[in-house]
Amino acid sequence: MEDFPEEVPLTIPPSLKSHLEDDCFWILRRNKLIRLPRKPTVETILRDFYLHCSANATEETNLPLLAEVLDGIKIYFDFMLADHLLFAQEKSQYKQAVEEKREQKLGVKRKQSETESRPQSNGAVVNSLPQQGNLENTTDSSKMEVDSRQASWDSSPPDSQLLMPSGIYGAEHLLRLFVRMPLFLSRAQLPAGHVQTLHHYFKELLEYLCSRRQELFLEECYEDTMATNAENEMGTNYM
C-alpha cells in the first residue's frame, strides 16, 4: 500500500518569485488590475509548452502523459481560480470577465436553440476533426504533425474556452496556481509516486515560464482601477 504525502514543496525559481512580488505590489499597493482578456492566455501557454516539448522530444519523452498533466493543470486552474487564486480586488473583475459573459453567451445559445428545429453545433465540431480513415492513409510524420498542431491534450472547441478562466487569464494567475499546488495535491490524497511525477512536469513548465518571462510578465498589462483603501486587503496569501 502506497504512502500518501502530506505536502511536497514545489520550488518556485527566484526570477519567478520576483514576478509574484511585483504582482502583489501592483494590485495591492498601486490599486491596479491585470487587463483582461490576457494574451497569451493560460490555455495558449500550456499548448505552447506542449508543442515545445513535442518539438524537442527524445526517446524518454512521454507525450501522452504530458498531455494528461497539462489537461489536469488546466482543469485545476479553471475550478480553483475564483476561490483560491484571486485577490479581493479582482473578484468584481472576475464576475464581469467570466460569469457575466458566460451568462450572456449561454443566453444567446439558448435563444438559438429555441429558434432552430435541428441544432447542428455538435456536427460542426465533429466534421472539423480528421476522421479515422483519413489518418490511416497518412504517414507517421503527418500523424505527428496533426497531433502537435492540434495539441491533443485539449479537445475543447475554441468557443467553450472563452467561457473558462484558462481562456481569459494569463501567466500571472497561472504562476499563482503553482504556489498553491502543493496544498491542492495534498488534499487530493495522491500516491507519492504520482506526486513525484507531477512535480517533474511542474518543474519543467516553471523552467519554460522562466525562459519566456520577459514576454509573459509585463508591467504594461496592469491598468488603473478605482479600488478604495477599504478594499486593500488580500483575499489570498500567495507568498
Side-chain angles (χ1 to χ4, degrees):
M1 184 174 180
E2 293 187 87
D3 295 328
F4 293 98
E6 291 294 328
E7 184 173 329
V8 179
L10 178 63
T11 302
I12 304 296
S15 59
L16 294 183
K17 280 188 176 180
S18 67
H19 290 298
L20 286 168
E21 294 171 354
D22 292 342
D23 191 30
C24 291
F25 173 80
W26 289 116
I27 293 176
L28 300 179
R29 302 297 182 185
R30 289 293 182 262
N31 293 331
K32 293 180 179 290
L33 293 175
I34 296 173
R35 188 182 301 108
L36 299 178
R38 186 74 170 88
K39 300 294 183 181
T41 64
V42 168
E43 193 271 338
T44 298
I45 293 171
L46 295 179
R47 178 184 287 114
D48 288 345
F49 176 63
Y50 177 86
L51 296 175
H52 168 78
C53 293
S54 178
N56 296 278
T58 65
E59 292 182 357
E60 298 179 354
T61 304
N62 190 334
L63 289 178
L65 180 57
L66 172 62
E68 290 187 29
V69 172
L70 294 179
D71 190 50
I73 291 174
K74 186 160 68 69
I75 291 173
Y76 258 79
F77 184 86
D78 286 334
F79 283 93
M80 295 296 184
L81 180 122
D83 294 329
H84 300 281
L85 305 180
L86 297 177
F87 291 112
Q89 294 90 328
E90 297 176 298
K91 296 286 187 177
S92 177
Q93 183 192 39
Y94 168 82
K95 184 175 181 180
Q96 295 177 355
V98 180
E99 293 182 349
E100 292 182 2
K101 287 188 177 181
R102 181 182 298 159
E103 292 176 0
Q104 293 174 0
K105 290 189 179 229
L106 291 177
V108 170
K109 289 183 179 180
R110 280 195 294 267
K111 290 181 179 179
Q112 290 177 342
S113 64
E114 292 173 358
T115 57
E116 295 176 358
S117 59
R118 293 184 179 180
Q120 300 295 323
S121 58
N122 291 335
V125 174
V126 172
N127 292 334
S128 67
L129 300 175
Q131 302 302 311
Q132 182 176 1
N134 295 334
L135 288 178
E136 290 176 350
N137 295 327
T138 60
T139 63
D140 291 340
S141 60
S142 297
K143 292 179 181 178
M144 292 179 63
E145 182 178 358
V146 169
D147 180 65
S148 63
R149 288 184 179 277
Q150 293 189 347
S152 61
W153 62 272
D154 182 7
S155 59
S156 301
D159 287 344
S160 70
Q161 283 302 307
L162 297 176
L163 304 177
M164 303 301 291
S166 58
I168 297 174
Y169 290 83
E172 297 81 11
H173 291 83
L174 177 61
L175 186 55
R176 297 182 198 178
L177 173 67
F178 285 105
V179 176
R180 303 300 299 263
M181 190 64 84
L183 175 62
F184 295 155
L185 292 182
S186 67
R187 292 178 178 177
Q189 291 290 289
L190 296 175
H194 291 190
V195 174
Q196 291 176 359
T197 299
L198 290 173
H199 272 243
H200 168 74
Y201 287 106
F202 293 165
K203 290 177 182 178
E204 287 194 351
L205 179 53
L206 288 171
E207 291 176 0
Y208 176 75
L209 294 178
C210 276
S211 69
R212 295 184 59 191
R213 62 185 182 278
Q214 293 184 347
E215 60 178 299
L216 293 177
F217 301 94
L218 304 174
E219 179 180 330
E220 52 264 34
C221 76
Y222 293 87
E223 60 185 4
D224 292 329
T225 177
M226 298 300 294
T228 63
N229 292 331
E231 293 174 325
N232 254 351
E233 296 179 2
M234 185 164 56
T236 305
N237 185 10
Y238 302 106
M239 307 305 295

